[in-house]
């Protein structure tokens, strides 16, 4: 655990946290009363679950005298961020330049992923990766491992140790990649099924069937992956689609009968609740309609899309069909682990596409939007009583500039917008998972 006091055992008995508290109950793009804001608020938790949230003045009267009230006044408590598309094995190659997606995969990604056949290496990277997520306030992520089952065991073991709600899976790919990363249609499914049996719903861990993307899976692998998804309907499914123009053309040449790239996945029965499609830049309205109709979701990856020059996600057309949207870093093509930095870039991407993305919407997308996209509403993503107590404490005075700028804000929207545009890992003062402190920022040096 990074920068965390060694005494952070799971607290016994109820605990209360006093701060400004924000959480969402609906999507502010479509609902007037989408959030609750308690300027002087209290969050009460017990045994890793939320018991109550509300105004301090109202709730304090009902608090038993024995309850410890942790004082975070001046800070903001939010549900932990949810990153719906990220590659833990790519941690060590973040910020590796390439002209576009396909050369980037060849030059950096595949050689880096090769190392995860070594369980010791996988554990070391998984440990660092999870530290980094927690430092950035991300408590749930949908994670790609590599083709090696050992990489999945390493990731889930690290996540389980810290009692985090994580979703992850073994990459399946049986063609158009180096020999050292290839499985076969049969082996991919056999290994994935064994991992489902070992990890899915063990504690807080959830499994995602993970065909990397249609170009690196044969028809036979796609067929078997679709069958596996039907055999285990409560598992997740994650893949990439319509990220880059050359990739779209390649998918079309490999699957000439499909109406579109997304249609390839549809054909193999992969559009369904708990299916998460990364990127979705080069879609058309028929694709978006299918995503909405099948309750599939989109992981919007703005820092990655700008970095690789992939394109601009079209918020306007996605919202017109009310496709479930979430925000994601896509590290290592993404350039930051921070969901605040991700909001910053999402805002600019939307703006270039003629859409104004309010801060309230961005914070929704990074919390309840992610949970809904993963069918985890009621489990994580907000503070409705009974949800798992994953929460973060944001510090509006984390840097001299933030302190100066947030002091000038006149509304909640303005305050959140400032945090989204100027915030990063330094803004996260503390992170809690299932009620336990899992990251505490070291105090910055006073000058
Ligand atoms: N498409 C297939 N694999 C990948 C990957 O690892 N990262 C990104 N950004 N796109 C992909
Ligand atoms: Zn990705």
């Amino acid at each position: 655990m990074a920068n965390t006091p060694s005494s952070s055992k799971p607290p016994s008995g109820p605990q209360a946290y006093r701060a400004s508290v924000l959480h969402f109950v609906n999507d502010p793009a479509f609902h007037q009363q989408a959030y609750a804001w308690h300027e002087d608020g209290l969050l009460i938790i017990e045994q890793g679950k939320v018991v109550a949230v509300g105004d301090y003045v109202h709730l304090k009267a009902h608090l038993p005298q024995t309850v410890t009230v942790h004082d975070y006044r001046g800070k903001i408590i939010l549900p932990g961020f949810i990153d719906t598309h990220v590659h833990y094995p790519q941690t060590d190659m973040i910020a590796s330049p390439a002209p576009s997606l396909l050369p980037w995969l060849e030059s950096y990604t595949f050689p880096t992923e090769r190392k995860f056949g070594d369980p010791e290496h996988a554990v070391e990277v998984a440990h660092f990766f999870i530290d980094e997520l927690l430092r950035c306030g991300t408590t749930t992520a949908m994670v790609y491992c590599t083709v090696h089952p050992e990489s999945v065991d390493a990731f889930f073991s690290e996540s389980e140790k810290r009692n985090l709600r994580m979703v992850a899976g073994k990459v399946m790919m049986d063609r158009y990649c180096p020999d050292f990363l290839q499985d076969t249609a049969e082996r991919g499914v056999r290994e994935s099924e064994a991992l489902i049996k070992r990890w899915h719903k063990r504690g807080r861990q959830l499994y995602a069937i993970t065909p990397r993307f249609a170009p690196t899976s044969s028809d036979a692998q796609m067929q078997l992956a679709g069958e596996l998804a039907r055999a285990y309907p409560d598992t997740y499914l994650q893949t990439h689609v319509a990220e880059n123009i050359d990739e779209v053309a390649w998918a079309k040449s490999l699957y000439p009968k499909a109406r579109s790239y997304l249609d390839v996945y549809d054909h193999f029965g992969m559009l369904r609740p708990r299916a998460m499609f990364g990127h979705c830049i080069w879609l058309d309205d028929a694709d978006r309609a299918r995503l909405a109709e099948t309750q599939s979701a989109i992981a919007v990856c703005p820092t990655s899309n700008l970095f690789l020059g992939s394109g601009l996600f079209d918020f306007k057309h996605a919202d017109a069909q009310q496709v479930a949207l979430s925000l994601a870093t896509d590290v290592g093509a993404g350039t930051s682990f921070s969901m605040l930095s991700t909001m910053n870039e999402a805002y600019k991407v939307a703006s270039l596409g003629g859409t104004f993305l309010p801060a309230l919407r961005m914070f929704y997308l990074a919390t309840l939007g992610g949970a809904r996209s993963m069918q985890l509403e009621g489990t994580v993503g907000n503070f409705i009583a009974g949800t798992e107590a994953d929460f973060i404490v944001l510090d509006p005075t984390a840097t001299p500039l933030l302190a100066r700028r947030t002091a000038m804000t006149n509304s909640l929207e303005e305050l959140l917008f400032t945090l989204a545009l100027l915030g990063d890992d330094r803004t996260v003062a503390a992170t809690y998972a299932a009620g336990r402190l899992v990251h505490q920022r070291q105090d910055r040096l006073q000058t």
Side-chain angles (χ1 to χ4, degrees), residues 56 68 116 124 172 219 228 237 261 275 285 339:
Y56 177 75
T68 318
F116 287 74
E124 196 274 324
M172 302 161 88
D219 275 59
L228 192 64
L237 188 146
Y261 186 174
D285 274 338
M339 293 298 284

Side-chain angles (χ1 to χ4, degrees), residues 87 90 101 104-105 212-213 240 243 279 330 333:
H87 300 252
Q90 297 174 13
L101 171 67
W104 177 84
L105 286 173
R212 180 172 214 120
F213 64 158
H240 299 85
E243 174 177 4
H279 306 291
D330 191 30

